[in-house]
Amino acid sequence: MTAAVSYASPRQFDALVSFSYNVGTAGMQNSTAVRLHNAGNAQGAADALRMWNKSDGAVNPVLVSRREKERSLYLYGDPNFGTGKGPLLVVPAND
């Protein structure tokens, strides 16, 4: 089996594992998100996760929420970033 994803940082890896668990490995391998990730377009890959928000042909609010959390995890390492719920983990700055 060939790897579907080129190098991923830990946060990107975690987000893509969550995505793959939900959409399946075949769906992930053929996704725009993985294609853009492998091309080095992290912002585009994160935004492309949002395309997977439908169930039975209709937008599903649970999937919308899940994709937003995966997107935030992929970009920022925190699934709650920007939600007002606070960080999942606080890491002190190296000053």
Side-chain angles (χ1 to χ4, degrees), residues 22 52-55 58 60-68:
N22 190 239
W52 293 78
N53 65 356
K54 294 182 181 70
S55 176
N60 180 318
V62 172
L63 291 178
V64 169
S65 175
R66 183 182 181 114
R67 296 292 98 83
E68 286 303 314

Side-chain angles (χ1 to χ4, degrees), residues 17-40:
V17 167
S18 175
F19 177 65
S20 177
Y21 179 80
N22 190 239
V23 304
T25 55
M28 182 187 121
Q29 287 177 325
N30 298 315
S31 72
T32 300
V34 167
R35 182 176 49 78
L36 292 172
H37 170 83
N38 287 342

